[in-house]
Amino acid sequence: MVSGMVSSFAFSIFGTGKNTVTVDIGPTIFGASLGIVGNVVGGGVTTSGFGIGAQYERQLLPLLSVAGRFAYLQGSLGLSTDSDDYDISDIRFSSYSIEAHTRFYPLGGAFFLNGMLGFANMSMAADDSLAGLPIEQSSAFSTSRNYFKLGAKVGWRFTFGLGGGFVLEPSFGYNGVVGAGSDLGNAMSDNVKKDFSDKSVNMLQNLIFVGGPRLSINLGWRF
């Protein structure tokens, strides 16, 4: 009898539905964290951020599924200084990605291994945000870059209900990126006719907006 109760409980946790639709609040939490960075740093720095992700997964076999995911992340950075060289009032960053995922459930339960191949675009924009430039050098600019993404992660998909129901799916992993076209830092320099180091911009694209470590907390429904 005890064995039957344990088996029934495990069945309700892991579920049997073949379709899973979830919303990832991991980017939302990250965007909110980005928004308080300016308050912590101080010194005239202001920041804001927002993000969201959505995913559809189809179970092909008990141990194998495929999924499609869309994600969006945006943020802004402002910096007021006493210097006459420049005063960054607002630079906006945003990215979106479209991803294809393959999942393997080696134990036939909640735990999974995930591989990802995707496409992403990151953009930067500002409207007269760099004060202190000669009048003939416009500081307004908008530029973007495309990327290919490769990633891997591990996670757990818990389904609370017989045959389907509410889904809680925590996971973590890492995304690598390969950019196409000019670096965003170089494009920014070309637009405002002023040399800027692209190291910080590369960090933004490789570790925050497109690639880097990823924490996902998916909430949704399995049916």
Side-chain angles (χ1 to χ4, degrees):
M1 180 177 178
V2 174
S3 175
M5 292 176 60
V6 172
S7 176
S8 176
F9 178 75
F11 179 78
S12 69
I13 290 293
F14 301 135
T16 58
K18 294 184 178 297
N19 304 284
T20 306
V21 178
T22 55
V23 173
D24 184 4
I25 64 172
T28 307
I29 296 173
F30 176 81
S33 300
L34 185 65
I36 66 175
V37 169
N39 294 331
V40 174
V41 174
V45 176
T46 59
T47 57
S48 66
F50 171 78
I52 195 70
Q55 178 174 286
Y56 169 73
E57 178 187 3
R58 173 69 177 179
Q59 198 78 34
L60 301 180
L61 300 168
L63 302 183
L64 182 68
S65 72
V66 294
R69 184 175 186 272
F70 174 83
Y72 174 79
L73 183 64
Q74 65 91 17
S76 66
L77 169 67
L79 175 61
S80 298
T81 71
D82 295 329
S83 171
D84 293 332
D85 292 334
Y86 61 89
D87 182 28
I88 304 175
S89 59
D90 185 34
I91 295 182
R92 300 177 298 280
F93 305 90
S94 65
S95 69
Y96 69 85
S97 62
I98 302 171
E99 305 165 358
H101 294 254
T102 300
R103 289 186 169 185
F104 178 53
Y105 294 81
L107 305 178
F111 177 73
F112 64 82
L113 304 173
N114 187 107
M116 180 273 293
L117 176 65
F119 166 84
N121 176 274
M122 177 177 169
S123 62
M124 297 172 56
D127 298 321
D128 299 325
S129 65
L130 302 177
L133 294 174
I135 196 168
E136 67 272 9
Q137 296 181 6
S138 172
S139 60
F141 72 91
S142 176
T143 186
S144 65
R145 191 184 190 194
N146 295 325
Y147 306 84
F148 293 103
K149 301 175 58 177
L150 292 170
K153 65 179 178 179
V154 297
W156 295 262
R157 184 187 64 191
F158 299 110
T159 305
F160 298 88
L162 290 172
F166 175 73
V167 171
L168 168 63
E169 184 185 287
S171 63
F172 61 92
Y174 190 90
N175 292 341
V177 299
V178 179
S182 301
D183 288 342
L184 291 178
N186 293 334
M188 179 179 175
S189 297
D190 291 341
N191 274 276
V192 302
K193 310 302 181 185
K194 188 178 180 70
D195 290 333
F196 286 90
S197 170
D198 61 355
K199 290 182 180 180
S200 59
V201 176
N202 286 338
M203 182 184 70
L204 288 174
Q205 69 184 19
N206 293 333
L207 296 179
I208 297 179
F209 285 94
V210 183
R214 286 292 183 268
L215 171 65
S216 294
I217 304 175
N218 285 356
L219 303 174
W221 196 261
R222 190 176 179 191
F223 55 95

